[in-house]
Amino acid sequence: MAQRFELLTTPIIGLSLLQRRPLADARGYFQRLFCAEELVEFGWTQGVAQVNHTQTLEKGSVRGLHLQLPPHAEMKLITCLQGAVWDVAVDLRKDSPTFLQWHAEVLSAENKRSFLIPQGFAHGFQTLTDHVEMLYCHSHAYQPTAEMGLNVFDERLAIGWPLPVTAMSDKDRQWLLLDDDFEGVSV
């Protein structure tokens, strides 16, 4: 069986970028978005408990930065189905050598890449185009009591958003800044 994914490494251990390999012919193409059997070698070790689809209408919009705390910590496989985003993952793993470091990648319908985000990372994105659609596979179902978020404007993180922020939810705008006592999350 041909591999439908190629691993592209990132500077943060455990955070992976996957290049999807579609099968194409004169009709168009077929591409695999998720396969537990193939993704296990890239670090996906759990089943899919929830699949979410988002649509964001306006270029410059930001969603995130979100994560679920243990015991509901989740892995995420993030795919852009339409348009393009600047997708960000922030390492919040306690005792990680890359604690509080972030890495971003452009995900788009055209480049056919997905972000494989392990437990202990916050995730968010900024739309680079209008009319963006994203697909998220989660290893755990959403639990409101386990939700945590980071303020996207936190100077301690110093995320260099590529565009001015045009839209954001009130909830995301109100996440607190990290204080010096924040030691990370255990996964």
Side-chain angles (χ1 to χ4, degrees):
M1 178 172 73
Q3 276 286 58
R4 300 286 182 233
F5 304 96
E6 174 187 354
L7 178 67
L8 306 173
T9 59
T10 72
I12 298 180
I13 295 170
L15 179 64
S16 301
L17 185 65
L18 301 179
Q19 180 69 58
R20 297 185 309 280
R21 295 180 176 163
L23 298 173
D25 61 23
R27 300 168 296 170
Y29 66 84
F30 166 87
Q31 71 178 317
R32 185 163 293 154
L33 296 178
F34 182 89
C35 176
E37 186 177 306
E38 289 183 54
L39 293 178
V40 72
E41 75 177 86
F42 304 132
W44 188 276
T45 58
Q46 303 172 15
V48 174
Q50 188 168 308
V51 177
N52 296 317
H53 176 235
T54 65
Q55 179 187 57
T56 308
L57 300 175
E58 186 179 348
K59 177 180 177 178
S61 297
V62 171
R63 290 183 185 262
L65 298 156
H66 307 136
L67 75 149
Q68 292 278 133
L69 297 171
H72 304 286
E74 61 188 353
M75 298 183 73
K76 296 179 184 179
L77 182 66
I78 310 296
T79 301
C80 183
L81 299 174
Q82 180 177 314
V85 300
W86 195 70
D87 207 78
V88 179
V90 181
D91 188 354
L92 297 178
R93 298 172 296 180
K94 187 176 187 167
D95 301 323
S96 170
T98 53
F99 176 64
L100 292 185
Q101 291 182 26
W102 57 269
H103 181 75
E105 293 283 346
V106 172
L107 303 182
S108 70
E110 287 74 31
N111 72 14
K112 296 174 178 44
R113 292 183 170 177
S114 295
F115 230 163
L116 182 59
I117 302 175
Q119 295 176 345
F121 280 73
H123 168 258
F125 65 85
Q126 183 175 45
T127 55
L128 300 175
T129 63
D130 290 332
H131 304 288
V132 168
E133 292 193 39
M134 302 285 286
L135 185 75
Y136 300 63
C137 294
H138 300 262
S139 64
H140 286 280
Y142 172 73
Q143 295 295 325
T145 58
E147 182 179 33
M148 178 185 170
L150 302 179
N151 188 302
V152 301
F153 302 114
D154 195 324
E155 291 181 11
R156 187 167 174 194
L157 298 174
I159 296 173
W161 299 99
L163 301 172
V165 175
T166 58
M168 209 173 150
S169 74
D170 289 339
K171 183 177 183 178
D172 286 348
R173 197 173 294 283
Q174 293 174 11
W175 289 114
L176 299 177
L177 301 174
L178 291 174
D179 61 29
D180 292 335
D181 295 329
F182 181 72
E183 296 179 1
V185 297
S186 299
V187 290

